[in-house]
């Protein structure tokens, strides 16, 4: 009798845990719509409003999307990852059942106020919308659908290799694109440091998208970067760019979230 009671209690606990897990999991999902742009591999080469120069070189490939105003958040979500599933309950004939994809936010889908929100103006505020690269869209929906209802949630990014730093600008103006960021993916703060003052981290400011700027003359110095992602985690990439770095060059680090 005691053994049976014990087994019943264990079963109840397991059911409660499963119920709580499912509830927490389901609560993370939000509703949106998705369309697609481009075609084939070509749709994964452009960085757009985030400033990535080449989505293959920057570690993103074609599993990417442009986000509507409500999701893009002025470029603060560049690099973030979202898991997306087609909503079969609303579009059973257009969705690929059981399929999901994780995309990276790499561009901005601008609003079109000349069109109504439910007929072409899908990226108008306050709508949540993903304009996906065509290969990504076709992982969850059929091509002829054009637009489908989806459910999405923000997830952890997985990357190969370390973070990458592309240094643009001129003289005392450094404009650094930081790409291939794992973990949260989207960056909230950046600091830069040269070898002439190893003990002082200089705050950088977001110029646009994934571009971070500094107005300190650091030419001829080895550069280090400190990066904080949106979840508060911090990583330091020491001596990423050698003292003979030049504007327009990209440097890969061995540091990752």
């Amino acid at each position: 009798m005691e053994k049976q009671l014990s087994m019943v209690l264990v079963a109840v606990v397991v059911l409660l845990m499963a119920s709580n897990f499912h509830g927490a999991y389901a609560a993370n999902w939000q509703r949106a719509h998705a369309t697609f742009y481009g075609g084939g591999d070509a749709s994964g080469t452009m960085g757009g409003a985030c400033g990535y120069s080449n989505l293959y070189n920057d570690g993103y490939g074609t599993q990417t999307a442009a986000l509507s105003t409500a999701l893009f958040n002025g470029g603060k979500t560049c690099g973030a990852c979202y898991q997306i599933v087609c909503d079969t309950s609303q579009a059973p004939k257009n969705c690929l059942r059981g399929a999901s994809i994780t995309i990276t936010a790499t561009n901005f889908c601008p609003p079109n106020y000349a069109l109504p929100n439910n007929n072409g103006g899908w990226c108008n505020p306050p709508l949540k919308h993903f304009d996906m690269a065509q290969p990504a869209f076709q992982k969850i929906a059929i091509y002829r659908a054009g637009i489908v209802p989806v459910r999405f949630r923000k997830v952890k990014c997985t990357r190969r290799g370390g973070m990458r730093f592309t240094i643009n600008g001129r003289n005392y103006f450094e404009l650094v694109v930081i790409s291939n960021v794992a973990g949260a993916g989207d960056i909230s703060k950046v600091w830069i440091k040269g070898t002439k003052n190893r003990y002082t981290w200089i705050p950088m400011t977001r110029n646009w998208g994934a571009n971070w700027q500094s107005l300190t003359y650091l030419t001829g110095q080895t550069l280090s970067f400190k990066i904080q992602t949106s979840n508060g985690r911090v990583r330091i990439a020491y001596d990423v760019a050698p003292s003979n770095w030049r504007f327009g060059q990209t440097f890969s680090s061995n540091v990752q979230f």
Side-chain angles (χ1 to χ4, degrees):
M1 183 68 178
E2 288 183 3
K3 187 176 180 181
Q4 288 179 331
L5 260 173
S6 177
M7 291 177 67
V8 169
L9 285 171
V10 169
V12 169
V13 169
V14 169
L15 284 170
L16 285 172
M17 288 176 67
S19 175
N20 288 337
F21 175 76
H22 178 75
Y25 181 85
N28 290 330
W29 293 91
Q30 300 180 57
R31 294 180 182 274
H33 282 82
T35 49
F36 66 87
Y37 68 92
D41 292 341
S43 61
T45 60
M46 301 174 291
C50 286
Y52 305 122
S53 58
N54 185 298
L55 298 184
Y56 290 106
N57 295 340
D58 291 326
Y60 305 127
T62 57
Q63 295 191 145
T64 60
L67 275 57
S68 63
T69 302
L71 293 172
F72 191 67
N73 196 20
K76 292 180 181 178
T77 53
C78 287
C81 294
Y82 296 89
Q83 184 182 16
I84 301 176
V85 296
C86 192
D87 193 341
T88 54
S89 67
Q90 297 188 58
K93 294 182 179 180
N94 292 330
C95 296
L96 299 182
R97 190 174 296 276
S100 71
I101 189 170
T102 297
I103 59 90
T104 302
T106 58
N107 209 340
F108 173 55
C109 182
N112 185 349
Y113 296 112
L115 297 173
N117 289 7
N118 61 351
N119 188 19
W122 297 105
C123 290
N124 295 350
L127 299 183
K128 294 176 181 178
H129 188 86
F130 295 89
D131 191 24
M132 304 168 68
Q134 183 181 327
F137 181 87
Q138 290 187 264
K139 293 286 185 181
I140 62 168
I142 61 174
Y143 174 85
R144 67 173 180 270
I147 181 167
V148 291
V150 298
R151 292 178 182 267
F152 74 96
R153 62 175 181 167
K154 190 176 181 183
V155 294
K156 180 181 179 181
C157 299
T158 302
R159 307 292 182 209
R160 291 184 179 180
M163 290 181 284
R164 300 170 189 170
F165 302 82
T166 301
I167 307 173
N168 297 307
R170 184 178 181 182
N171 296 329
Y172 62 88
F173 175 65
E174 295 89 30
L175 190 65
V176 183
V177 180
I178 305 172
S179 60
N180 201 50
V181 182
D186 46 349
I187 299 171
S188 58
K189 293 181 182 179
V190 179
W191 296 262
I192 190 171
K193 181 169 64 174
T195 44
K196 289 184 179 178
N197 195 340
R198 281 190 171 272
Y199 303 102
T200 303
W201 285 106
I202 303 164
M204 302 184 77
T205 57
R206 188 190 304 275
N207 188 291
W208 59 279
N211 287 267
W212 293 81
Q213 72 175 45
S214 167
L215 298 177
T216 304
Y217 187 79
L218 297 171
T219 304
Q221 300 182 50
T222 300
L223 303 181
S224 300
F225 296 90
K226 181 163 66 170
I227 300 94
Q228 178 177 307
T229 48
S230 62
N231 60 358
R233 295 189 176 180
V234 176
R235 294 289 185 273
I236 297 177
Y238 287 107
D239 302 333
V240 173
S243 59
N244 62 345
W245 62 267
R246 296 290 182 269
F247 291 109
Q249 291 182 309
T250 298
F251 301 94
S252 295
S253 72
N254 60 358
V255 178
Q256 190 55 275
F257 284 89

